């Protein structure tokens, strides 16, 4: 039996949990980390638009995205439209159920060694993005000449102030 005098002392163990659990580190993220984060955000956004068919997720749109420094967790902040706010709890449950499917799709589309866990965080209510697109712009056309300015009509239908 070997004596304990001939053994090398063990290196002190560092607690990785404390350093890995914090999302902000003292050094800036590397270019690779930012590239992977951006690619993951694009894929998740595309999956939200095209692949998710759960009716409870109709008013959900991803707004913020944070990949932990170790790459094991993605925190996805999402917003709801004003119509979908009443079912916020159902939306959270639907997102939790969809996270496995989203991870499997990310694994198929991306070449990563480890696909991170997805955690969804409710941010708040966002303006409905299609309202601005569907509203007609105000008529700002101004005529060049006074002759082109349409007149107004009185009760009889006679033109009182138009082209003369």
């Amino acid at each position: 039996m070997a004596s304990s005098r001939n053994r090398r002392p063990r290196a002190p163990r560092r607690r990785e949990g404390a350093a890995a659990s914090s999302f902000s580190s003292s050094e800036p993220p590397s270019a690779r980390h930012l590239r992977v984060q951006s690619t993951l955000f694009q894929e998740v956004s595309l999956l939200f638009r095209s692949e998710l068919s759960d009716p409870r997720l109709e008013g959900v749109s991803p707004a913020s995205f944070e990949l932990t420094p170790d790459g094991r967790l993605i925190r996805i902040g999402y917003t709801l439209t004003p119509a979908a706010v009443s079912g916020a709890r159902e939306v959270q449950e639907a997102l939790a159920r969809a996270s496995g499917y989203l991870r499997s799709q990310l694994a198929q589309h991306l070449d990563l060694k480890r696909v991170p866990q997805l955690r969804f965080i409710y941010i708040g209510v966002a303006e409905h993005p299609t309202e601005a697109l569907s509203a007609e712009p105000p008529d700002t056309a101004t005529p060049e000449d006074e002759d082109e300015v349409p007149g107004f009509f009185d009760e009889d239908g006679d033109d009182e102030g138009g082209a003369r």
Side-chain angles (χ1 to χ4, degrees):
M1 188 167 206
S3 82
S4 62
R5 286 185 287 164
N6 296 337
R7 289 189 190 165
R8 286 192 325 187
R10 287 187 177 183
R13 289 188 179 206
R14 292 177 45 182
R15 248 186 117 184
E16 295 179 27
S21 66
S22 66
F23 288 104
S24 61
S25 63
S26 60
E27 59 190 50
S30 66
R32 180 185 182 282
H33 180 81
L34 294 174
R35 191 171 56 245
V36 168
Q37 180 173 314
S38 173
T39 304
L40 284 168
F41 180 68
Q42 290 172 357
E43 283 294 321
V44 168
S45 297
L46 180 66
L47 289 171
F48 261 86
R49 287 191 307 268
S50 63
E51 296 290 326
L52 295 179
S53 61
D54 191 340
R56 297 178 293 179
L57 299 177
E58 285 298 316
V60 177
S61 61
S64 68
F65 197 83
E66 184 180 12
L67 179 66
T68 57
D70 61 359
R72 293 178 188 247
L73 178 68
I74 300 171
R75 293 176 50 184
I76 302 170
Y78 66 93
T79 58
L80 297 174
T81 58
V85 171
S86 61
R89 183 170 300 270
E90 290 83 18
V91 168
Q92 185 69 30
E93 291 171 4
L95 286 170
R97 289 185 57 107
S99 66
Y101 174 74
L102 290 171
R103 285 189 71 216
S104 68
Q105 292 298 310
L106 288 173
Q108 287 179 358
H109 295 155
L110 300 175
D111 186 27
L112 294 174
K113 182 184 265 187
R114 178 186 316 124
V115 178
Q117 295 287 327
L118 305 177
R119 182 174 296 157
F120 294 97
I121 300 167
Y122 175 65
I123 294 177
V125 179
E127 295 296 321
H128 192 31
T130 57
E131 282 180 14
L133 298 175
S134 66
E136 292 184 18
D139 187 23
T140 58
T142 56
E144 297 292 323
D145 286 336
E146 282 184 23
D147 294 336
E148 295 177 15
V149 176
F152 59 91
F153 295 93
D154 63 0
E155 289 112 21
D156 298 334
D158 296 334
D159 187 11
E160 287 188 357
R164 296 189 177 117

